[in-house]
Amino acid sequence: MTTHPYWGSVDQDWAGFSSHISFSHPFFTEQNITIFLGEEFDDDGEEIEEPPTENQLDAFANTYQDFLANIETNLSSIQNKAFDYYQKHYAHYFENPEKSGEAALGIDTVEKHNEYIKELMYLRVLENHTIKISIRYQVDTEHGIEFKLVGGQIEKVGGIAET
């Protein structure tokens, strides 16, 4: 266990290291979401056993506080990029009854699509001002959807563990 002025006690958790601080926002159905601090695995695919250093925890705190200070802008970006992702990767199937064998979902606006991205699984704060946000995507629960934000800008959108 490590103790930090912002994070408090930092302990090993089911997918890396986390603290007692959690994330909540009214947009998401789940509240008190776990925030993981640092990567879960090293470059060789081995689980990381050493907790983040004091300097890493300081940087993670700054990154997370910046994320919170701009939460409405960040959330709007996530919503827009998620809808773009749907249109690019899923709409051709789910909006075409001949392909899907089901009635079209009728997802033709960001607002309609938002209902499918409300189940936040966890946040991961990483080095270099990076945050990954993993969501159980109701359009594709097998792969989910993940957003990689670097310096407050979405750099990549993909399935979980693909960003």
Side-chain angles (χ1 to χ4, degrees):
M1 179 183 80
T2 301
T3 303
H4 185 264
Y6 180 79
W7 296 110
S9 64
V10 175
D11 300 297
Q12 194 147 23
D13 205 334
W14 64 273
F17 286 88
S18 67
S19 80
H20 69 280
I21 292 177
S22 61
F23 174 78
S24 294
H25 189 279
F27 175 80
F28 297 104
T29 55
E30 304 295 319
Q31 299 298 306
N32 302 316
I33 299 299
T34 301
I35 302 169
F36 291 103
L37 305 170
E39 295 285 1
E40 180 179 7
F41 300 106
D42 64 18
D43 293 337
D44 297 324
E46 299 294 321
E47 194 171 295
I48 294 176
E49 301 288 334
E50 293 293 316
T53 66
E54 186 81 16
N55 287 342
Q56 287 174 312
L57 292 172
D58 289 344
F60 295 161
N62 289 335
T63 298
Y64 182 65
Q65 289 168 331
D66 288 345
F67 173 76
L68 289 180
N70 298 294
I71 188 64
E72 295 308 320
T73 300
N74 290 328
L75 184 56
S76 178
S77 294
I78 288 167
Q79 293 167 344
N80 287 310
K81 292 289 188 181
F83 180 61
D84 292 346
Y85 188 78
Y86 172 77
Q87 288 183 308
K88 182 176 180 183
H89 297 281
Y90 295 98
H92 66 90
Y93 180 79
F94 287 109
E95 301 302 335
N96 185 341
E98 285 128 30
K99 286 186 180 180
S100 68
E102 304 284 332
L105 293 179
I107 302 171
D108 56 3
T109 65
V110 171
E111 291 73 25
K112 288 180 184 177
H113 185 258
N114 283 348
E115 295 307 311
Y116 295 84
I117 60 167
K118 289 187 171 273
E119 195 175 344
L120 181 60
M121 295 169 55
Y122 56 87
L123 272 75
R124 186 173 298 279
V125 183
L126 302 166
E127 293 188 11
N128 302 316
H129 310 288
T130 302
I131 291 184
K132 287 188 178 181
I133 300 168
S134 300
I135 294 174
R136 183 170 284 112
Y137 190 28
Q138 296 307 313
V139 171
D140 183 355
T141 55
E142 181 180 346
H143 298 102
I145 189 169
E146 186 172 80
F147 302 86
K148 179 180 179 182
L149 287 83
V150 178
Q153 302 295 312
I154 296 178
E155 185 175 276
K156 191 166 184 190
V157 180
I160 293 175
E162 294 176 356
T163 62

